[in-house]
Amino acid sequence: MTSEFVQSSPRKYVLFDVDGTLIDALENQRRVWGMWAGRYRLDADEVYRVALRTRPMETFVQVAPEQDPAECLAVLHELEDEDVRSGVYAAFDGASELLDALPVGSWALVTSNYEHRVRGRFARTGLPVPRVIVDAAAVEEGKPSPVPYLLAAEQLGARPEDCLVVEDAPSGVEAGLRAGMTVWGVNAEVAVVGVHRHFGSLREAVPDILGFARLEGSDAVG
C-alpha cells in the first residue's frame, strides 16, 4: 500500500465488499465448491446453488447433513487457500483507479472471507490494501447482520450516516441498510432490493463514489 499525504479528517467514508464488488471471483468460487462437492461425491451444481445463498456452515447442513461440519469447513478452507495461491484472479474494471484515488483512512474492506485470502487476492491483482479490513473472524455475526459494517465504521472513526457501502449481493446490501448507511449496488444487471443507487458495473460507479468521498480540492490519494 502506498503511503502519501492524507486529509486530516475525511468527512465521508467508503466501505467495500470484496468478492463480486472489487474482485471478480465468481469462477473461483464455483471451482472451489465444485472440488469440495467432489470430495463428498455430491452434485456440484446443486452444492453451488445452495452455497450462493447461504453461509458455509448452513450449506453443509443442507447438502451434507451426515458429514461433520467442522471437517467440511476444514476441507473448504484448504481448497480456498490453494485457490488463492494458484487460481486466476482479476480486479473489476475501475477498481485500481478507484482505490488509488481514495484518501488513506477514508475506506475499508468488509468481507465474509478471511483477511489472509483478501490480502493474497489483492497482491495478485495489484490493488492497494487499506488499514481497516473487517473479515469473517472479526465478528460473530456476518452479513446480513449490520455488525460487520458498524465495526468497520467504528475502526475508521466514522459515523454510520457518513458511510457509503458498495455491494453486489443482497445479504451485503441488507447489512449496510440495517447499519444506517448509504448503500449503492454494482456489477448486477438488476438492482438489488433496497439500494439507494444502482450501477451495472463498478466502472460506471467510480466517478460517483469519488464524488461521495468529496475529493474536490483534496491533494490526498492512497
Side-chain angles (χ1 to χ4, degrees):
M1 180 174 178
T2 59
S3 176
E4 308 199 17
F5 294 104
V6 303
Q7 289 175 308
S8 59
S9 180
R11 292 197 294 171
K12 296 293 183 180
Y13 301 81
V14 187
L15 312 180
F16 294 97
D17 174 51
V18 177
D19 293 340
T21 298
L22 296 173
I23 298 287
D24 187 355
L26 185 63
E27 289 305 313
N28 301 78
Q29 293 169 346
R30 182 185 293 275
R31 182 168 55 253
V32 166
W33 277 110
M35 291 187 293
W36 183 90
R39 294 278 187 99
Y40 295 96
R41 299 182 178 178
L42 299 171
D43 181 84
D45 290 337
E46 173 62 16
V47 168
Y48 186 63
R49 184 187 66 81
V50 174
L52 279 177
R53 55 183 174 80
T54 61
R55 287 176 290 185
M57 296 302 280
E58 298 166 345
T59 300
F60 306 147
V61 170
Q62 290 193 41
V63 303
E66 72 286 356
Q67 300 293 337
D68 177 6
E71 177 191 305
C72 291
L73 187 61
V75 171
L76 182 65
H77 284 176
E78 171 193 327
L79 294 170
E80 288 182 324
D81 286 343
E82 176 56 34
D83 186 70
V84 170
R85 290 189 292 269
S86 61
V88 177
Y89 285 92
F92 282 107
D93 184 29
S96 180
E97 169 193 330
L98 172 59
L99 300 186
D100 282 336
L102 288 169
V104 174
S106 73
W107 62 284
L109 302 177
V110 182
T111 176
S112 299
N113 213 317
Y114 289 86
E115 182 172 347
H116 72 280
R117 292 192 196 116
V118 171
R119 289 184 176 276
R121 291 175 179 181
F122 272 47
R124 297 282 301 280
T125 55
L127 295 179
V129 178
R131 175 178 60 85
V132 174
I133 300 176
V134 174
D135 71 346
V139 294
E140 292 185 3
E141 298 179 26
K143 304 171 187 178
S145 166
V147 170
Y149 279 115
L150 289 173
L151 178 59
E154 179 184 336
Q155 292 185 0
L156 287 171
R159 300 181 305 172
E161 58 265 34
D162 292 330
C163 294
L164 168 64
V165 168
V166 183
E167 271 277 1
D168 74 298
S171 62
V173 168
E174 181 179 343
L177 293 172
R178 291 173 63 188
M181 300 174 178
T182 300
V183 182
W184 291 355
V186 299
N187 297 333
E189 292 184 5
V190 179
V192 175
V193 175
V195 295
H196 297 105
R197 293 189 65 183
H198 168 70
F199 300 87
S201 68
L202 180 66
R203 162 56 66 188
E204 292 176 23
V206 168
D208 294 86
I209 294 173
L210 294 179
F212 179 95
R214 297 184 179 176
L215 297 184
E216 293 84 357
S218 170
D219 295 327
V221 297

